Amino acid sequence: MTVPAPLYLDDDLLVVDKPAGLLAVPGRGADKADCLSARVQAAWPGALVVHRLDMATSGLMVFARHAQAQRRLGHAFATRAVDKRYVAVVEGVPQAAPVDAAGWSAIDLPLAADWPRRPLQKVDDVHGKPSTTRWRLLAQVDGGRAARLELAPLTGRTHQLRVHLQAIGHPILGDALYAGAAAQTRAPRLLLHAAALALVQPMRGTPLRFDSAVPF
């Protein structure tokens, strides 16, 4: 069991990089017991989960080191006080409209569980929860057949980034759940990475920012 080296560590929280293909928390069954939270807790007993990433997604995860820090960090995530940035490579090049002065566009599509096809999620105008993803173009790649995007989710729905991008016709390359066969085979993994987090230290109130190099 490889324990990731912390990118940041203090008495209240720690930040680590989750590799793609590793569960964030245990799944059902003994074969799904190995996960990032178990590895972190083996090295730092008492560490507590604050938020999650999909198994296929890599990047930054925050763990609290005691219950009070977990409550404060959880509240910060729930109230959108944490600035989260992802990088993805998607099929095609999205058309940026409308765009604000900083180059951001938004996807506003309500999301709900696709119960007959669990764990899939879907756009659902009737039963879905409000969900917003901001995005901007970083570069066209592969001769304009794909695009590298920066993503800033304003809500934290399950599979939100993956479903939103698929819904506008630009699935993330390597996405085994939501991309078509052609987009799946263009990458050996899901090309989605949690690249940056900005938050407030839960006990001292000082601003913190963490960055993780994109591995694709």
Side-chain angles (χ1 to χ4, degrees):
M1 179 186 294
T2 302
V3 179
L7 302 176
Y8 176 84
L9 177 67
D10 66 21
D11 292 337
D12 307 307
L13 65 99
L14 64 99
V15 180
V16 295
D17 244 333
K18 187 186 85 66
L22 179 67
L23 288 166
V25 297
R28 293 181 180 177
D31 60 326
K32 296 181 176 62
D34 183 28
C35 60
L36 184 62
S37 63
R39 296 184 186 191
V40 166
Q41 288 160 358
W44 297 279
L48 299 167
V49 174
V50 174
H51 65 120
R52 304 181 184 188
L53 294 176
D54 293 345
M55 179 177 178
T57 303
S58 57
L60 297 168
M61 277 189 64
V62 178
F63 290 83
R65 300 196 65 194
H66 53 82
Q68 188 175 11
Q70 184 191 39
R71 287 193 297 271
R72 293 187 180 185
L73 288 167
H75 183 263
F77 275 91
T79 58
R80 307 181 189 179
V82 178
D83 185 16
K84 299 175 287 184
R85 301 293 175 92
Y86 293 73
V87 172
V89 179
V90 302
E91 186 174 48
V93 181
Q95 298 302 306
V99 178
D100 67 14
W104 291 98
S105 297
I107 304 168
D108 288 298
L109 293 171
L111 300 179
D114 189 350
W115 290 109
R117 301 193 300 155
R118 291 188 301 266
L120 297 185
Q121 308 292 305
K122 65 179 180 178
V123 175
D124 188 331
D125 292 326
V126 177
H127 303 292
K129 295 180 180 180
S131 307
T132 303
T133 299
R134 300 176 72 221
W135 67 271
R136 60 182 172 185
L137 180 67
L138 296 177
Q140 295 188 30
V141 297
D142 194 17
R145 296 176 59 238
R148 181 176 290 259
L149 305 181
E150 182 178 10
L151 307 171
L154 301 186
T155 49
R157 311 300 179 203
T158 301
H159 297 173
Q160 176 177 314
L161 302 178
R162 301 165 72 172
V163 178
H164 272 174
L165 290 165
Q166 186 273 338
I168 65 168
H170 299 280
I172 300 174
L173 299 188
D175 191 341
L177 293 181
Y178 299 101
Q184 285 186 38
T185 58
R186 289 177 64 185
R189 53 154 291 188
L190 176 72
L191 299 190
L192 178 63
H193 183 73
L197 282 173
L199 50 85
V200 170
Q201 209 283 349
M203 309 308 294
R204 298 194 294 271
T206 52
L208 299 172
R209 179 183 170 91
F210 309 105
D211 294 279
S212 171
V214 181
F216 49 80

